[in-house]
Amino acid sequence: MFWNLLKQVLGQYKKWKFVPATKNILYHWIGRERKKSFGNKNPDKIFYVIRSVDCDSKLYIGARLNLMANYFYVVSHLFYAEKRGWIPIIDEKNYPVYNSVDKPINGTYNAWEYYFVQPSSYSLEEVYQSKHVILSKRSWFGEYDMGYDPNQYSDPTIIEEFSRIADQIPLNVPTNNVVEKIYKEYFNVKEKVLGVSYRYGGHAKDCYYQGEGHPMQLEAEELLQMAIKLMKEWKMEKIFLTSDEETIVEVFKKHFEDKLIVLSRKRRKRGEETNLTRYKQLYAAENIHETTLGYLVEMELLSRCNALVGTITSGIRYAVIKNKMKYEHCKIVDNGLLPNSKKR
């Protein structure tokens, strides 16, 4: 036990610079897995409460998790719970995430349940009255992460395993109804559609903040030229662009005109990220649900396209998994990683 712990600590200092390594060690210790007993219910069962990453902790050195990054964080814990035969439940009520608000959405204060169902039929209330409860650690299980290697996204064994877990946590009924409504409004099932994913925030070289160590987005013009080429090569009739930023939408509209499908949703405007205008409003409490739902709907529809192109993001990972990699064509672009100043 002692030697394993020492090995882990030394490993942190080998990987990270002194200050982030120290913070990381303390963060993991405070947020470690814990056994609890909250009552006498269900004495023959072991529940596993998946607690969110504490992105607001002063000791946390990672990136703030958006909806899809948090989704795959949960997936990593579902793999872990399955290995141990524990009954998982996701608690984003007592352990809030970036899109948690202080009013019910779809009848719940648990941010996970705003959009998705629980992987079991038990409620948080019942779990917190039960005899055997494991509170999860508040960090990823790296062994259950698809990572940034594009080859992982075409490996049928990996796709099948992640899709199997994803099937346990589908969209809830209200969210699915929104997706179906928008799909029918924007898509024609008889037309072949190329899905294009462009993530500006944290992934583009000219974004004011960088997701350190994350895959780097192609430049808008590079992605446009690639889409033009693949549309012709793959014989696609329409192009569906997903993006959190307006400039690339304008670039694609100018070229593709009526062949472009783009959802009407709130987006950031390049150059306005650091002032108190549109960017701040997107993530204000009164708008965060609309912003997040718009992103989720885009990724759901991206999974329904006939073909796909983009660099790796948690959103494109979601699309690939939900599609079960049944795309006629798929190109996951490796454009390198953004530098990570915390690493040695």
Side-chain angles (χ1 to χ4, degrees):
M1 177 71 175
F2 171 78
W3 293 110
N4 285 337
L5 183 61
L6 180 62
K7 185 178 179 180
Q8 291 174 16
V9 168
L10 292 176
Q12 289 291 312
Y13 285 107
K14 286 181 180 179
K15 182 177 181 180
W16 306 97
K17 293 179 180 177
F18 180 80
V19 171
T22 303
K23 285 184 175 181
N24 215 23
I25 291 165
L26 292 172
Y27 175 85
H28 280 78
W29 175 252
I30 292 170
R32 67 192 182 278
E33 181 179 296
R34 298 171 184 267
K35 293 182 180 179
K36 294 285 186 178
S37 182
F38 294 102
N40 294 315
K41 280 193 173 184
N42 305 303
D44 59 335
K45 295 177 175 63
I46 301 177
F47 293 100
Y48 182 67
V49 176
I50 300 175
R51 302 188 293 170
S52 309
V53 171
D54 187 2
C55 295
D56 292 324
S57 169
K58 292 181 180 179
L59 299 173
Y60 179 65
I61 67 170
R64 191 170 188 83
L65 303 190
N66 69 6
L67 181 76
M68 293 307 175
N70 183 65
Y71 177 90
F72 281 101
Y73 165 82
V74 167
V75 166
S76 80
H77 281 263
L78 292 178
F79 273 114
Y80 176 75
E82 182 181 71
K83 290 281 187 183
R84 280 147 185 80
W86 298 338
I87 301 170
I89 187 164
I90 299 127
D91 184 358
E92 293 178 2
K93 177 183 178 182
N94 298 297
Y95 303 95
V97 290
Y98 87 105
N99 61 308
S100 296
V101 291
D102 59 1
K103 63 180 181 180
I105 292 177
N106 291 329
T108 180
Y109 286 93
N110 187 337
W112 177 263
E113 297 171 3
Y114 295 173
Y115 312 107
F116 306 103
V117 302
Q118 290 282 359
S120 71
S121 60
Y122 295 91
S123 67
L124 276 180
E125 291 72 23
E126 182 171 359
V127 168
Y128 283 128
Q129 297 174 51
S130 295
K131 188 171 182 61
H132 303 293
V133 179
I134 309 294
L135 300 180
S136 79
K137 68 176 185 176
R138 304 188 71 178
S139 53
W140 288 77
F141 285 98
E143 61 268 40
Y144 305 122
D145 180 19
M146 287 179 69
Y148 299 146
D149 179 358
N151 294 321
Q152 300 269 70
Y153 294 72
S154 58
D155 186 318
T157 302
I158 292 173
I159 297 299
E160 182 180 354
E161 276 297 280
F162 274 83
S163 296
R164 182 180 60 79
I165 294 294
D167 286 344
Q168 299 173 19
I169 46 173
L171 298 178
N172 59 28
V173 172
T175 307
N176 190 63
N177 288 343
V178 172
V179 172
E180 293 298 331
K181 179 178 181 295
I182 295 176
Y183 177 73
K184 290 175 182 177
E185 180 181 349
Y186 283 87
F187 282 68
N188 181 339
V189 294
K190 295 180 180 179
E191 295 174 324
K192 290 197 172 186
V193 180
L194 169 63
V196 178
S197 173
Y198 178 83
R199 171 70 186 275
Y200 179 73
H203 285 256
K205 286 190 292 187
D206 60 344
C207 183
Y208 88 99
Y209 72 94
Q210 301 293 317
E212 295 191 345
H214 285 58
M216 184 164 50
Q217 185 59 250
L218 291 171
E219 297 290 343
E221 186 61 31
E222 287 181 285
L223 188 59
L224 173 64
Q225 294 306 317
M226 185 175 290
I228 293 169
K229 176 178 177 292
L230 294 178
M231 278 277 286
K232 182 177 180 181
E233 184 179 317
W234 292 345
K235 296 180 173 57
M236 296 289 126
E237 299 162 274
K238 289 287 184 73
I239 184 162
F240 173 52
L241 176 66
T242 70
S243 179
D244 60 335
E245 196 272 329
E246 285 187 0
T247 303
I248 193 161
V249 173
E250 295 164 2
V251 168
F252 271 61
K253 273 184 179 177
K254 186 176 180 180
H255 180 85
F256 289 107
E257 299 178 337
D258 61 349
K259 290 184 179 179
L260 180 69
I261 301 171
V262 61
L263 303 189
S264 176
R265 57 165 287 205
K266 292 182 178 180
R267 294 180 172 87
R268 67 183 79 212
K269 181 74 173 179
R270 197 171 305 209
E272 291 187 359
E273 299 96 335
T274 56
N275 57 28
L276 297 173
T277 58
R278 188 180 335 214
Y279 173 66
K280 296 287 185 181
Q281 284 302 306
L282 284 173
Y283 298 95
E286 64 271 20
N287 295 322
I288 187 64
H289 173 59
E290 181 183 351
T291 298
T292 305
L293 181 60
Y295 171 47
L296 174 56
V297 171
E298 277 194 339
M299 296 306 108
E300 277 286 333
L301 298 189
L302 196 65
S303 76
R304 301 188 185 192
C305 292
N306 302 90
L308 174 69
V309 62
T311 58
I312 293 172
T313 62
S314 52
I316 210 169
R317 181 180 299 153
Y318 180 85
V320 165
I321 294 303
K322 292 303 290 283
N323 178 269
K324 303 183 189 296
M325 208 43 160
K326 301 295 185 184
Y327 294 111
E328 294 176 22
H329 306 279
C330 181
K331 184 177 181 64
I332 305 296
V333 181
D334 186 355
N335 194 40
L337 303 179
L338 294 164
N340 193 335
S341 63
K342 301 182 188 75
K343 284 192 172 183
R344 290 197 175 278

